Each structure stands twice: as structure tokens, then as C-alpha cells.
Amino acid sequence: MDLFLGIDVGSVSTNLVLLDPAGEPYLTPLYLRTQGRPIAVLQQGLALLREQLSSRDRVCAVGTTGSARFLAGVLVGADIVKNEITAHAVAALHLVPDVRTIFEIGGQDSKIIILRDGIVVDFAMNTVCAAGTGSFLDQQAFRLNLSIEEFGALAKDATNPVRIAGRCTVFAESDMIHKQQMGHPLPDIIAGLCEALVRNYLNNVGKGKEILPPVVFQGGVAANLGMRAAFEKVLKTEIIVPPYFNVMGAYGAALLARDYAKEGGQTSFRGFQVATLQFQPRSFECKGCSNACEVIEIREGKRVLARWGDRCGRWGSSVTGAEEVNEEAKSIS
Amino acid sequence: MKITYPHMGNLYIVIRALLTSLGLDLVLPPPTSNRTVELGVRYAPEFACFPLKLNLGNFLEARELGADTILMAGGVGPCRFGYYAQVQREILRDLGVSMEMVVLEPPDTHWSELKDKIRWLVGDRSWWEIIKAIRFAWYKARAVDLVEARVLYLRPRVFEPFELESGYREALRKIDQAASKRELDSVVKGFFRFSNRLPRRSGSLLRVGLVGEIFTVLEPFANYDLERRLGLLGVEVTRSIFLSAWINEHLFGGLLRVKGTKHVKKLAAPYLNFFVGGHGRETVGSTVDFARQGYDGVVHVAPFTCMPEIVAHSVLPSVTKDYGIPTLTFYLDEQSGEAGIQTRLEAFVDLISARRERVRKEKH
């Protein structure tokens, strides 16, 4: 079967989605923890996919997204490298074609995307706060010795949610502990915490934006029933959590790859053998001018796959396998 | 007396021309770098805006090179900038750094004070000499702006951005060294000839206007090289503020015929009818201006906690609503992350190109 691969390498999770030509996931999407080792985890993901594919399957195009999209794109030979805001919007539009608002809360980032008539007209990402909501919820569940699923579900039993100071997670945690020491029941505290995070999200990320239904809620945090309920309570509208809500970036990247192939693009996918190659990243400071850019370089064996980080393009544009350039890099670093 | 002054984009070229033609001795701070930021942030109040921190870093680095006198601008209105020279003076004093701070107040409101300061600086030189020096500095400002505008236009069009960048740096170096107006003209002409020879793609590009507070607009280090990032994403950027326009308005009373911000101030009404300090009103007006000229979007930059720009930012949604022009605001300081800026810019470019595509389809 002709397949389209989408890869989202984020700060917390690395996701891979394989789509069939109809835009349906061909295998179960992979959701792996990045654990600060994007290259190794990406290779692990590719190896897992390869095991499940038959010899008749063929990857026709690849898209990458997420904060490590350039890195992932270089390693696998991506045809499309897209920012996560666009990738998330593309995926949501595919699953809920009339969507007008997208809430996306992941491990580190939270975003709001406003769409009208099927195109993105506005977006915002967390700036000064509302960051790390997913990681914070994880941490609180861990502190209470609950799984993240149990944690979210507990909020449903709340009778009287307490008000938690939610400006930032440091304050939220200390206020939460305070409320526990005061003797409030756990479900009320968790529900209160979810409401605080939702309030914070709407005030800091969604500030000034017109939130119209249908609202799609995606990203890892969308699994949390408490957060979903808190959104519904504040906005008084139904919140749609799409299937594959936690791999929407990779889903979107795969859809973009499919479009690329549809328009006749030839893939530069380097094949699943990437899973077993050795990559060496390194960085050096360019001494070419006063900017002193930190240039990052990825090598596979002796071959330089890519360089980036330089402002002027001296290194970035010089990667076409020319060995003398590599020598120059050595002498400069 | 060894004079230094803070960096703001290519301003150093203009001020250097001014001061050296008055026979003053000067020490330029090294180009703003991460070290500058570290120094500035260490000694500045946390919630002071980014320009103050960078200025302070510049002064300390210039001090290491032997500077003993600082030339700093003052300001009026609700923007805190007017107070910054004084704050910086106190910080330096607390650090035990003995440097003289000469604060040049804005000429359009404090003319006589400025006159006295200039006298103190240049001693008994005649006013004619001073005027000649100012005129020469002005020519340099014009030359810098012409080259910069050309680069903004060409960056998304050329196939070899690296060649353009090195040509640009070379041109700046030559402008900095030029000793006469004739020489300046030939440098600018030379750069235009060089840049016209660069192979480039044709077709119409996305156009984005850059508005906001002057320091963050003009200093690429402060705005994380936004103009270049946009250019490499295939977007033609037009700046709302150029140095020469600013000089013309504030120093020459708008006598010269350079496109300035006067009409832009008028365009800010009815969204913002008052002077809110800094460039708040110009930000709103320029956004309207860009919208009327059919630009695809506007990128707005400001230092984090900048009051005038926060006012402007809160007004921009109504401009967007009336004119349908998307805007994207960045508040910048030492905590801004490069990856976040790049991601938002890429998403913004996707947004405006989808929009343009839609408009094109509707017309057919």
C-alpha cells in the first residue's frame, strides 16, 4: 500500500503516524516519550514501524513537525518540514472540517488556533505563562500517586471545586498543597486545579480571541477528563476531542506529506534503514563575523547531513557534501 | 574624553560620522552579543525593558575598551525611556564605574538644553562646523537606509542569500569609512549595481510590514533577526521606521522630503487619538497604512513590558477587524526563545499565504 509518514518530535513526546491514501491511520499511531533523546527515540519509532510493515508497503512521502522538525527532517529525508501550528490545524480540519477554534495543550506548549471557513485566521502560543501544563499535570498525578487517567477522572466526582491560584504552576502547586492540608477532598482540589489551568489558558493564550464552536481540544492534555469538563463549564459549549488527539501534529504532517505526493512530488525519504544509522551531532561557534553564531552540525559517518544556526547562511547553504568545506569547518571551530 | 554610545542597528555609523567630523574621540562598544546581554541583565532591574539592559551591557563593554563618557538619548512622555539614562547612570555609579553620562534630550521639546550639551561636548567649534557635521551624518543615515531597504526587498528574491548578506556587510563597512558625500553616493550605487546582478526569482511575494518600538525594530540582535528570518521564508519586509526618517522629524523638524511618520500619526485615529508615549501611535497608524497599501500582514515588535506598545497591541484587533489584516505581536527580552519565534513566524507566513490564496480564488 502507498503510505504517508508524519513525524512530530516535540519536547515531551515523539509521535509517528502512517496514513493510507484515504487519510486514515494505517497502523496504530506511535506515541513515544522523547526523554531528551530525539534522535534515538525517532530511530526507535522507525524500527517499530518497520516491524509491522509488509514488503508491499511503500512510504511515498514524509512530513515532520514539532520543535525538532528540522533535525527530524534531515535524519529521515523529509519532503515537508512544517511548524506545529499549521500541522495541528491541518489535522483538526481533516477530522472536524467545520472546526472554528482549536485548543492544543501539549507537554510544554499551549496554543489556540482560530479558523474561519477552513483557513487559519489567527493563532497564539503561550508566551509568558500557561506553559508546561501537560508536564505539570503529570507531575501532580505522580505526587498524588495516581495515574494520569485516574487523576483526570477524579475531577468528575467533585461536588464543590476549590479555587486554586493558577497564575503559574509554581503558585498553583503550593496553593494546591495548602488546600490539601486544609482538608479539602481530593476530587474538589483536582477539579479546582483544572479550572485554574483552564482559566489561565483562556486568559493568557486565548486572550482577546473570539472562541466560536465547534471547539476541538487536542494535545496530550485533552485526555484529561477534568480539563475537558472545566473547558465545557467555562465556555458552555461542547468540546470535541478527536480520535488520535495526542498525535495530531504527526497526523497533520502526514496529511501534508500526502498532499505533496498528490501534487506529484518525489519523496526524499531515506528509508527505514535510518533506524540503524549512526548520527553524530556537534556544534561550534562560527568566527566569520561578530555575530558569533552557534552552528549545529549533523553528520552521518563522515558525511555532513546538515548545518544550521548561522544567521548569514554561510554554513547552512554550504552543505552539498563538499569536503573542503568540512575542512574549513574544522579550522574555524 | 573618550565617548561611547549604545548600539541600535546601524546607528553607530551615523553617530560615528557625526562625532568624528567634530573632532571627538570615540570608543564604539563591540557589536551587541550574548555577552552584552549577560552584563546588562546582571545589573539591570528585572522588569526594565530590553533596550535598557542592552544599553547597559554596551556601556560596560565600551568601558573595558577605555571609554569614559557616555552619550545617551533622553525622552519625553509616558514611555519609561526618558528615565533610563538616569537609571543607567545610577547603576553604573553603584557598580563603581566612573563614567560621565551626557543625556541629549529630544530637540523638539528641549532645544536649548540640547544646545548647551552640544556646546559642552564640542567646545568652541563654530555652529557652521556643527551643522556641516550633522549634514554629513545625515547623508550617512540616508546611505545606510537605502542599502537596508534594498536588502529587505531582495532577501526573499535572491537564490544566494549568503552572497547578498556579505555584499550588504561590505557596503555597510564602506559607508562607515566613506569620508565624503561623493564617496557615499558611489558606495550606494556600487551596492545597487552588485545587487542587481544577483540572480533572483520573479513573481509576486508576500509582503509584511514591520511596526513597533524603534529600538526593537532597528536592532536585529534585539528582535532575533526577524527581518532576515522573514526574508528567508520568502517574505518581503517593509519597515515602518528608518533612521533617516526619524532624524528628519526630530532633528530637522521634518524639513526634508523623506517619507516620515506624520501621516501615519493621523492614520492612527480613530483607533488611538492620543500620544501614549514611545511609538504607540505610529504602530497603530503604520498598521493602518500597511493595510491600505494591501500588505498581507503586519509583524509588531516591542520590548517585554513596554507600555506604549501594549496600548497599541490592545488596539490592533480593531484594525484587523476593519481592514482584515492579520497581525502578529512579539514581546522581546532576554527570555525570548529563538525556536518559539521561528515557529510563530512560519505559522504566520502560512496564515497569510492561505489568506492570499483565498482572496485570489474569490476573484476568479
Side-chain angles (χ1 to χ4, degrees), chain B residues 93-139:
Chain B
R93 184 177 297 158
D94 288 349
L95 286 175
V97 176
S98 60
M99 289 173 94
E100 185 77 37
M101 173 90 78
V102 183
V103 187
L104 301 180
E105 296 295 340
D108 29 13
T109 41
H110 296 272
W111 173 237
S112 64
E113 204 181 322
L114 179 69
K115 205 175 70 183
D116 297 343
K117 292 270 169 62
I118 293 176
R119 263 280 151 255
W120 182 86
L121 273 172
V122 302
D124 52 7
R125 274 166 202 280
S126 73
W127 278 107
W128 173 233
E129 273 175 294
I130 295 171
I131 288 165
K132 262 199 337 203
I134 291 177
R135 198 177 59 181
F136 184 52
W138 158 258
Y139 290 141

Short mmCIF file of all heavy atoms in Angstrom, two decimals, chain B residues 93-139:
data_model
loop_
_atom_site.label_atom_id
_atom_site.label_comp_id
_atom_site.label_asym_id
_atom_site.label_seq_id
_atom_site.Cartn_x
_atom_site.Cartn_y
_atom_site.Cartn_z
N ARG B 93 27.08 54.05 38.71
CA ARG B 93 27.71 54.63 39.89
C ARG B 93 27.77 53.58 41.00
O ARG B 93 28.80 53.40 41.65
CB ARG B 93 26.92 55.85 40.36
CG ARG B 93 27.59 56.56 41.53
CD ARG B 93 26.85 57.79 41.93
NE ARG B 93 26.83 58.79 40.86
CZ ARG B 93 25.93 59.77 40.76
NH1 ARG B 93 24.97 59.88 41.64
NH2 ARG B 93 25.99 60.63 39.77
N ASP B 94 26.66 52.85 41.20
CA ASP B 94 26.64 51.80 42.23
C ASP B 94 27.69 50.73 41.96
O ASP B 94 28.20 50.10 42.88
CB ASP B 94 25.26 51.14 42.29
CG ASP B 94 24.22 52.06 42.90
OD1 ASP B 94 24.62 53.11 43.46
OD2 ASP B 94 23.02 51.74 42.83
N LEU B 95 27.96 50.51 40.67
CA LEU B 95 28.95 49.49 40.32
C LEU B 95 30.37 50.01 40.49
O LEU B 95 31.33 49.28 40.28
CB LEU B 95 28.76 49.05 38.87
CG LEU B 95 27.56 48.16 38.59
CD1 LEU B 95 27.43 47.92 37.09
CD2 LEU B 95 27.71 46.84 39.31
N GLY B 96 30.47 51.29 40.79
CA GLY B 96 31.79 51.88 40.91
C GLY B 96 32.44 52.16 39.56
O GLY B 96 33.65 52.28 39.46
N VAL B 97 31.62 52.23 38.53
CA VAL B 97 32.14 52.54 37.20
C VAL B 97 32.01 54.04 37.00
O VAL B 97 30.90 54.56 36.94
CB VAL B 97 31.34 51.81 36.11
CG1 VAL B 97 31.81 52.22 34.74
CG2 VAL B 97 31.45 50.32 36.30
N SER B 98 33.13 54.71 36.95
CA SER B 98 33.00 56.16 36.85
C SER B 98 33.02 56.57 35.39
O SER B 98 34.04 56.54 34.72
CB SER B 98 34.14 56.84 37.61
OG SER B 98 35.37 56.43 37.05
N MET B 99 31.83 56.88 34.89
CA MET B 99 31.72 57.36 33.51
C MET B 99 30.80 58.56 33.52
O MET B 99 29.78 58.57 34.19
CB MET B 99 31.13 56.27 32.60
CG MET B 99 32.08 55.10 32.34
SD MET B 99 31.28 53.77 31.43
CE MET B 99 31.71 54.18 29.75
N GLU B 100 31.20 59.55 32.75
CA GLU B 100 30.36 60.74 32.62
C GLU B 100 29.17 60.38 31.72
O GLU B 100 29.35 59.72 30.70
CB GLU B 100 31.19 61.85 31.99
CG GLU B 100 30.50 63.18 31.88
CD GLU B 100 30.44 63.91 33.22
OE1 GLU B 100 31.44 63.80 34.00
OE2 GLU B 100 29.43 64.56 33.48
N MET B 101 27.97 60.80 32.09
CA MET B 101 26.80 60.50 31.24
C MET B 101 26.24 61.80 30.71
O MET B 101 25.78 62.64 31.48
CB MET B 101 25.75 59.75 32.08
CG MET B 101 24.44 59.53 31.40
SD MET B 101 24.32 57.99 30.46
CE MET B 101 24.07 56.78 31.72
N VAL B 102 26.29 61.95 29.40
CA VAL B 102 25.72 63.15 28.79
C VAL B 102 24.40 62.76 28.15
O VAL B 102 24.36 61.92 27.26
CB VAL B 102 26.66 63.72 27.70
CG1 VAL B 102 26.08 65.01 27.14
CG2 VAL B 102 28.03 63.96 28.28
N VAL B 103 23.32 63.35 28.65
CA VAL B 103 21.99 62.96 28.16
C VAL B 103 21.49 64.01 27.19
O VAL B 103 21.31 65.17 27.55
CB VAL B 103 21.00 62.82 29.33
CG1 VAL B 103 19.68 62.26 28.83
CG2 VAL B 103 21.59 61.94 30.42
N LEU B 104 21.30 63.59 25.96
CA LEU B 104 20.76 64.51 24.96
C LEU B 104 19.24 64.41 24.96
O LEU B 104 18.68 63.38 24.58
CB LEU B 104 21.31 64.18 23.58
CG LEU B 104 22.84 64.23 23.45
CD1 LEU B 104 23.26 63.88 22.04
CD2 LEU B 104 23.37 65.61 23.83
N GLU B 105 18.60 65.47 25.42
CA GLU B 105 17.13 65.45 25.46
C GLU B 105 16.59 65.69 24.05
O GLU B 105 17.25 66.31 23.23
CB GLU B 105 16.62 66.52 26.42
CG GLU B 105 17.03 66.29 27.88
CD GLU B 105 16.42 65.04 28.49
OE1 GLU B 105 15.40 64.56 27.95
OE2 GLU B 105 16.98 64.53 29.48
N PRO B 106 15.38 65.20 23.77
CA PRO B 106 14.85 65.35 22.41
C PRO B 106 14.77 66.81 21.99
O PRO B 106 14.25 67.64 22.72
CB PRO B 106 13.46 64.73 22.49
CG PRO B 106 13.20 64.47 23.91
CD PRO B 106 14.49 64.49 24.65
N PRO B 107 15.32 67.12 20.81
CA PRO B 107 15.42 68.52 20.38
C PRO B 107 14.07 69.19 20.19
O PRO B 107 13.97 70.40 20.38
CB PRO B 107 16.17 68.42 19.05
CG PRO B 107 16.03 66.99 18.63
CD PRO B 107 15.91 66.20 19.87
N ASP B 108 13.06 68.42 19.81
CA ASP B 108 11.79 69.10 19.53
C ASP B 108 11.11 69.61 20.79
O ASP B 108 10.19 70.41 20.74
CB ASP B 108 10.84 68.23 18.69
CG ASP B 108 11.03 66.75 18.92
OD1 ASP B 108 11.73 66.40 19.89
OD2 ASP B 108 10.50 65.95 18.14
N THR B 109 11.54 69.14 21.97
CA THR B 109 10.94 69.66 23.19
C THR B 109 11.95 70.38 24.09
O THR B 109 11.58 71.17 24.95
CB THR B 109 10.27 68.54 24.00
OG1 THR B 109 11.11 67.40 23.95
CG2 THR B 109 8.90 68.20 23.45
N HIS B 110 13.22 70.04 23.95
CA HIS B 110 14.22 70.63 24.86
C HIS B 110 15.36 71.24 24.06
O HIS B 110 16.52 70.90 24.26
CB HIS B 110 14.79 69.55 25.78
CG HIS B 110 13.77 68.96 26.71
ND1 HIS B 110 13.50 69.50 27.93
CD2 HIS B 110 12.95 67.89 26.57
CE1 HIS B 110 12.56 68.78 28.52
NE2 HIS B 110 12.21 67.80 27.72
N TRP B 111 15.05 72.13 23.15
CA TRP B 111 16.07 72.63 22.23
C TRP B 111 17.25 73.29 22.93
O TRP B 111 18.40 72.97 22.68
CB TRP B 111 15.43 73.56 21.20
CG TRP B 111 16.42 74.24 20.33
CD1 TRP B 111 16.59 75.57 20.16
CD2 TRP B 111 17.43 73.61 19.52
NE1 TRP B 111 17.63 75.82 19.30
CE2 TRP B 111 18.16 74.64 18.89
CE3 TRP B 111 17.80 72.29 19.27
CZ2 TRP B 111 19.23 74.39 18.03
CZ3 TRP B 111 18.87 72.04 18.42
CH2 TRP B 111 19.56 73.08 17.80
N SER B 112 16.94 74.18 23.89
CA SER B 112 18.04 74.94 24.49
C SER B 112 18.93 74.03 25.33
O SER B 112 20.15 74.21 25.39
CB SER B 112 17.48 76.08 25.33
OG SER B 112 16.74 75.56 26.40
N GLU B 113 18.31 73.04 25.96
CA GLU B 113 19.11 72.12 26.77
C GLU B 113 20.06 71.34 25.87
O GLU B 113 21.23 71.13 26.19
CB GLU B 113 18.16 71.17 27.50
CG GLU B 113 18.77 70.59 28.76
CD GLU B 113 17.82 69.64 29.45
OE1 GLU B 113 16.60 69.91 29.48
OE2 GLU B 113 18.30 68.61 29.96
N LEU B 114 19.54 70.93 24.73
CA LEU B 114 20.37 70.18 23.78
C LEU B 114 21.54 71.04 23.30
O LEU B 114 22.67 70.60 23.20
CB LEU B 114 19.52 69.72 22.60
CG LEU B 114 20.27 68.95 21.52
CD1 LEU B 114 20.71 67.59 22.04
CD2 LEU B 114 19.43 68.77 20.27
N LYS B 115 21.20 72.31 23.05
CA LYS B 115 22.21 73.24 22.55
C LYS B 115 23.36 73.34 23.54
O LYS B 115 24.54 73.27 23.16
CB LYS B 115 21.55 74.61 22.34
CG LYS B 115 22.23 75.48 21.32
CD LYS B 115 21.45 76.75 21.09
CE LYS B 115 21.53 77.66 22.31
NZ LYS B 115 20.73 78.89 22.18
N ASP B 116 23.02 73.46 24.81
CA ASP B 116 24.07 73.58 25.84
C ASP B 116 24.94 72.33 25.89
O ASP B 116 26.15 72.40 26.03
CB ASP B 116 23.43 73.82 27.22
CG ASP B 116 22.67 75.13 27.27
OD1 ASP B 116 22.91 75.98 26.37
OD2 ASP B 116 21.83 75.32 28.17
N LYS B 117 24.28 71.17 25.78
CA LYS B 117 25.02 69.91 25.85
C LYS B 117 25.98 69.81 24.67
O LYS B 117 27.13 69.38 24.82
CB LYS B 117 24.05 68.71 25.80
CG LYS B 117 23.18 68.59 27.03
CD LYS B 117 23.83 67.73 28.09
CE LYS B 117 23.10 67.81 29.41
NZ LYS B 117 21.73 67.33 29.30
N ILE B 118 25.51 70.22 23.50
CA ILE B 118 26.37 70.16 22.32
C ILE B 118 27.57 71.08 22.51
O ILE B 118 28.71 70.69 22.26
CB ILE B 118 25.58 70.54 21.04
CG1 ILE B 118 24.51 69.48 20.76
CG2 ILE B 118 26.51 70.67 19.85
CD1 ILE B 118 23.61 69.78 19.59
N ARG B 119 27.30 72.26 22.99
CA ARG B 119 28.39 73.22 23.26
C ARG B 119 29.43 72.61 24.19
O ARG B 119 30.63 72.68 23.95
CB ARG B 119 27.81 74.48 23.95
CG ARG B 119 27.54 75.60 23.02
CD ARG B 119 28.81 76.39 22.69
NE ARG B 119 28.69 76.98 21.36
CZ ARG B 119 29.30 76.53 20.27
NH1 ARG B 119 30.11 75.52 20.35
NH2 ARG B 119 29.14 77.10 19.12
N TRP B 120 28.93 71.97 25.24
CA TRP B 120 29.83 71.37 26.23
C TRP B 120 30.70 70.30 25.57
O TRP B 120 31.88 70.18 25.85
CB TRP B 120 28.99 70.78 27.36
CG TRP B 120 29.83 70.18 28.46
CD1 TRP B 120 30.36 70.84 29.53
CD2 TRP B 120 30.23 68.80 28.59
NE1 TRP B 120 31.06 69.97 30.32
CE2 TRP B 120 31.02 68.72 29.78
CE3 TRP B 120 30.02 67.65 27.84
CZ2 TRP B 120 31.57 67.52 30.20
CZ3 TRP B 120 30.57 66.46 28.27
CH2 TRP B 120 31.36 66.39 29.44
N LEU B 121 30.07 69.55 24.67
CA LEU B 121 30.78 68.46 24.01
C LEU B 121 31.84 68.96 23.03
O LEU B 121 32.97 68.49 23.04
CB LEU B 121 29.80 67.57 23.23
CG LEU B 121 29.12 66.44 23.97
CD1 LEU B 121 28.05 65.83 23.06
CD2 LEU B 121 30.12 65.36 24.37
N VAL B 122 31.46 69.90 22.21
CA VAL B 122 32.33 70.25 21.08
C VAL B 122 33.21 71.46 21.35
O VAL B 122 33.98 71.86 20.49
CB VAL B 122 31.53 70.47 19.78
CG1 VAL B 122 30.73 69.23 19.45
CG2 VAL B 122 30.61 71.68 19.90
N GLY B 123 33.06 72.07 22.51
CA GLY B 123 33.91 73.20 22.83
C GLY B 123 33.63 74.40 21.95
O GLY B 123 32.47 74.71 21.68
N ASP B 124 34.67 75.04 21.42
CA ASP B 124 34.42 76.31 20.73
C ASP B 124 34.29 76.18 19.21
O ASP B 124 34.56 77.12 18.48
CB ASP B 124 35.53 77.31 21.10
CG ASP B 124 36.90 76.72 20.86
OD1 ASP B 124 36.96 75.59 20.30
OD2 ASP B 124 37.90 77.35 21.24
N ARG B 125 33.90 75.02 18.76
CA ARG B 125 33.69 74.90 17.32
C ARG B 125 32.50 75.76 16.89
O ARG B 125 31.54 75.92 17.64
CB ARG B 125 33.40 73.46 16.94
CG ARG B 125 34.67 72.70 16.72
CD ARG B 125 34.44 71.22 16.69
NE ARG B 125 35.71 70.58 16.99
CZ ARG B 125 36.66 70.41 16.09
NH1 ARG B 125 36.49 70.81 14.85
NH2 ARG B 125 37.80 69.85 16.42
N SER B 126 32.58 76.26 15.64
CA SER B 126 31.52 77.16 15.20
C SER B 126 30.25 76.37 14.88
O SER B 126 30.30 75.17 14.61
CB SER B 126 31.97 77.91 13.96
OG SER B 126 31.96 77.02 12.86
N TRP B 127 29.14 77.06 14.94
CA TRP B 127 27.87 76.41 14.61
C TRP B 127 27.88 75.91 13.17
O TRP B 127 27.26 74.92 12.85
CB TRP B 127 26.68 77.34 14.86
CG TRP B 127 26.30 77.33 16.32
CD1 TRP B 127 26.52 78.32 17.22
CD2 TRP B 127 25.67 76.26 17.02
NE1 TRP B 127 26.08 77.93 18.46
CE2 TRP B 127 25.55 76.66 18.36
CE3 TRP B 127 25.22 74.99 16.66
CZ2 TRP B 127 24.99 75.86 19.34
CZ3 TRP B 127 24.65 74.19 17.64
CH2 TRP B 127 24.55 74.62 18.96
N TRP B 128 28.58 76.64 12.32
CA TRP B 128 28.66 76.20 10.92
C TRP B 128 29.31 74.82 10.82
O TRP B 128 28.82 73.94 10.11
CB TRP B 128 29.42 77.24 10.11
CG TRP B 128 29.71 76.81 8.70
CD1 TRP B 128 30.92 76.80 8.08
CD2 TRP B 128 28.77 76.34 7.73
NE1 TRP B 128 30.79 76.34 6.80
CE2 TRP B 128 29.48 76.04 6.55
CE3 TRP B 128 27.39 76.12 7.75
CZ2 TRP B 128 28.88 75.55 5.40
CZ3 TRP B 128 26.78 75.63 6.60
CH2 TRP B 128 27.51 75.35 5.45
N GLU B 129 30.37 74.62 11.61
CA GLU B 129 31.04 73.32 11.59
C GLU B 129 30.09 72.23 12.11
O GLU B 129 30.06 71.11 11.60
CB GLU B 129 32.29 73.35 12.48
CG GLU B 129 33.52 73.83 11.75
CD GLU B 129 34.69 73.96 12.71
OE1 GLU B 129 34.63 74.83 13.60
OE2 GLU B 129 35.64 73.17 12.57
N ILE B 130 29.36 72.59 13.16
CA ILE B 130 28.42 71.62 13.73
C ILE B 130 27.36 71.24 12.71
O ILE B 130 27.05 70.06 12.50
CB ILE B 130 27.77 72.21 15.01
CG1 ILE B 130 28.84 72.41 16.08
CG2 ILE B 130 26.67 71.28 15.51
CD1 ILE B 130 28.37 73.16 17.29
N ILE B 131 26.85 72.24 12.03
CA ILE B 131 25.81 71.96 11.03
C ILE B 131 26.35 71.09 9.90
O ILE B 131 25.71 70.15 9.44
CB ILE B 131 25.22 73.29 10.48
CG1 ILE B 131 24.36 73.92 11.57
CG2 ILE B 131 24.42 73.06 9.21
CD1 ILE B 131 24.00 75.37 11.33
N LYS B 132 27.61 71.38 9.51
CA LYS B 132 28.22 70.57 8.46
C LYS B 132 28.35 69.10 8.90
O LYS B 132 28.09 68.18 8.13
CB LYS B 132 29.61 71.12 8.10
CG LYS B 132 29.56 71.98 6.89
CD LYS B 132 30.92 72.20 6.21
CE LYS B 132 32.13 72.03 7.08
NZ LYS B 132 33.31 72.75 6.59
N ALA B 133 28.73 68.93 10.16
CA ALA B 133 28.88 67.57 10.69
C ALA B 133 27.53 66.85 10.70
O ALA B 133 27.43 65.68 10.33
CB ALA B 133 29.46 67.62 12.10
N ILE B 134 26.50 67.57 11.12
CA ILE B 134 25.17 66.97 11.15
C ILE B 134 24.73 66.59 9.74
O ILE B 134 24.18 65.52 9.50
CB ILE B 134 24.14 67.93 11.81
CG1 ILE B 134 24.45 68.07 13.31
CG2 ILE B 134 22.72 67.43 11.59
CD1 ILE B 134 23.56 69.04 14.04
N ARG B 135 25.02 67.49 8.80
CA ARG B 135 24.62 67.22 7.42
C ARG B 135 25.31 65.96 6.89
O ARG B 135 24.69 65.11 6.26
CB ARG B 135 24.95 68.41 6.53
CG ARG B 135 24.20 68.40 5.23
CD ARG B 135 24.49 69.62 4.42
NE ARG B 135 25.93 69.72 4.15
CZ ARG B 135 26.48 70.73 3.47
NH1 ARG B 135 25.75 71.71 3.05
NH2 ARG B 135 27.78 70.73 3.26
N PHE B 136 26.58 65.82 7.21
CA PHE B 136 27.32 64.65 6.73
C PHE B 136 26.77 63.37 7.35
O PHE B 136 26.58 62.35 6.68
CB PHE B 136 28.81 64.82 7.05
CG PHE B 136 29.67 63.72 6.51
CD1 PHE B 136 29.60 63.36 5.16
CD2 PHE B 136 30.53 63.03 7.33
CE1 PHE B 136 30.38 62.35 4.65
CE2 PHE B 136 31.31 61.99 6.84
CZ PHE B 136 31.23 61.65 5.50
N ALA B 137 26.48 63.45 8.67
CA ALA B 137 25.90 62.29 9.35
C ALA B 137 24.57 61.92 8.70
O ALA B 137 24.23 60.74 8.53
CB ALA B 137 25.71 62.58 10.83
N TRP B 138 23.83 62.94 8.33
CA TRP B 138 22.55 62.71 7.67
C TRP B 138 22.73 61.97 6.35
O TRP B 138 22.00 61.02 6.05
CB TRP B 138 21.85 64.05 7.46
CG TRP B 138 20.81 64.04 6.38
CD1 TRP B 138 20.93 64.52 5.13
CD2 TRP B 138 19.50 63.48 6.48
NE1 TRP B 138 19.78 64.31 4.43
CE2 TRP B 138 18.88 63.67 5.23
CE3 TRP B 138 18.80 62.84 7.49
CZ2 TRP B 138 17.59 63.25 4.97
CZ3 TRP B 138 17.50 62.42 7.24
CH2 TRP B 138 16.92 62.62 6.00
N TYR B 139 23.73 62.36 5.58
CA TYR B 139 23.98 61.64 4.32
C TYR B 139 24.28 60.17 4.60
O TYR B 139 23.87 59.29 3.86
CB TYR B 139 25.16 62.27 3.57
CG TYR B 139 24.87 63.63 3.00
CD1 TYR B 139 25.84 64.64 3.03
CD2 TYR B 139 23.63 63.92 2.44
CE1 TYR B 139 25.58 65.89 2.52
CE2 TYR B 139 23.36 65.18 1.93
CZ TYR B 139 24.33 66.15 1.97
OH TYR B 139 24.06 67.39 1.47
#
